[in-house]
Amino acid sequence: MTQSSPNILVIRLGLLGDMVCTTPMLEAIKKHFPTGRLCLLSNEYNRPVVARNPFIDKIYTYIHTKDRQRNPRPGFFASLVDAWRLKRDLQRERFDWIVVCNGGFNKPSVRIAQGLGGKIISATREDGSYEYRVDFPISGLLEPVEHEIVRTFRLLTPLGISLDELPQHLTLSAAPDRIAAMQTAFPRAPGKRLRLGVHISASEPLRQWPISAFAQLINAIAVEHPDVAFLVFYGHGQTASRQRLADALQTPVTFVPPGDIDDLMASLTLCDLLVCNDGGVLHLAAGLGVPIVGLFEGNPMKTGCWYPWGVAYTSLSAPYGCPVATIEPAAVCDATSRMIYSLRTPL
C-alpha cells in the first residue's frame, strides 16, 4: 500500500480493560488513514469488545500454545493447525506497520511481530531495554503517570499521529439482539426513575469491597432515593456472595446472573449509573456511556492510569497502600448520591 494507505496491524493481548482502552487508538488510526487497512490481533476472550467496532477491517484471533482451553478450538492438534494458519494469514497481509499496544514492553507480543514484515513499534521497559527486532522503540511511557489510553497512544508518533487526534471517548457497542433480550428479562419497574447497577465481584483480593459494605450502600441509597431501582451483578462462582448480600438487604433488588461478555455488555446498557471495583467491568461500562462510581485501591498508578474514560465519574481510592476494602461505605454512599442527583438535573 502507499504511505497514505498503509496496512497496519495492532496487537493487544491483555485483559478485558486493556482491549477496551485500545479502542481510541484504533479509531484514530482509521481516521488518520481512512483508505488504509487496519487489522487487530486479539485473544478470543476479548473479541466481543471489538466485534462491532467500525474502525477495524479484520480481527485475527491469537492462538495459545500452552493454555489451549482458551482457544476457539481447544484441542492439541487443532491448536497447532490454527496457530500455523494464523501465522500464514498474518504473513499474507504484508503489513507496513505493526503496533505492539502496551504502555510497557510486552515480550510475547513483540515476538509474534517477528517475521510478519513491516516496521515494528513497541514500548520499551522502564530502563529502555527490549528484546527482538523493534524498529521504533518508544521509551518513557510509564513516567509521568498518565492514563493507559494516553500512554499507548504515544506509540502512534512514528505514524505521524499526534495526541491532538486522541478521541475523548471509547468505542464500544453491545449486540442489539442481546440488548433486546436483557430489556425483556429485566424491564424497568414502575415508579423507578433510575436504575443503579452495583457490580460486586473483583478479580483480585486488593480490589474487593466487602459484601457488607455493598449492603450498606444499597440500603442507604434505597432510603434516600426511593425512585432508584437496583441491578446487582455478580461473577461466576459467586453464588455464596450473592446470597450473603441478599440476606443483608432491606430493599428488593434484581440480581443479574453472570453470562458471557456479550451478555454483560448488554446488561450494563440497562444501568443509568454503575458502582463497581476497578477492573474490566468499569471500562466496559465507560465504553457503553454509563456514568461510574469507581472504587480503587490506594495506588496512584491505578487511579492515574485506569480511571473511567469519556464518561461522568467519581473515583474513590483507599488510603495509600491499602486495599479497596478500606474505603468507607459512607464515602461511597455520598459519592453515589451526588451522582444520582446530577443525573436528575437537566443540562
Side-chain angles (χ1 to χ4, degrees), residues 47 49 131 146 238 294:
R47 193 180 181 93
V49 172
E131 277 89 60
E146 293 181 307
Q238 281 202 306

Side-chain angles (χ1 to χ4, degrees), residues 48 112 131 139 251 295 323 346:
I112 292 169
E131 277 89 60
S139 60
T251 187
L295 311 181

Side-chain angles (χ1 to χ4, degrees), residues 228-309:
V228 170
F230 300 90
L231 295 175
V232 178
F233 301 81
Y234 59 100
H236 294 280
Q238 281 202 306
T239 304
S241 296
R242 174 196 184 281
Q243 188 57 52
R244 289 203 309 275
L245 179 61
D247 292 341
L249 292 177
Q250 301 167 1
T251 187
V253 302
T254 298
F255 285 97
V256 181
D260 59 18
I261 299 301
D262 277 315
D263 281 339
L264 177 57
M265 288 194 295
S267 57
L268 286 173
T269 66
L270 304 178
C271 301
D272 298 296
L273 174 66
L274 179 71
V275 178
C276 63
N277 302 303
D278 170 35
V281 171
L282 180 148
H283 299 291
L284 283 177
L288 295 165
V290 180
I292 293 167
V293 175
L295 311 181
F296 291 80
E297 61 192 273
N299 181 341
M301 288 292 291
K302 296 289 186 178
T303 54
C305 300
W306 295 101
Y307 57 85
W309 185 267

Side-chain angles (χ1 to χ4, degrees), residues 32 39 53 62 66 97 109 118-119 150 211 220 224 255 270 318:
H32 191 88
C39 299
N53 190 296
Y62 175 68
K66 293 183 179 180
W97 295 89
S109 295
K119 300 178 182 67
V150 178
I211 294 298
E224 186 173 355
F255 285 97
L270 304 178

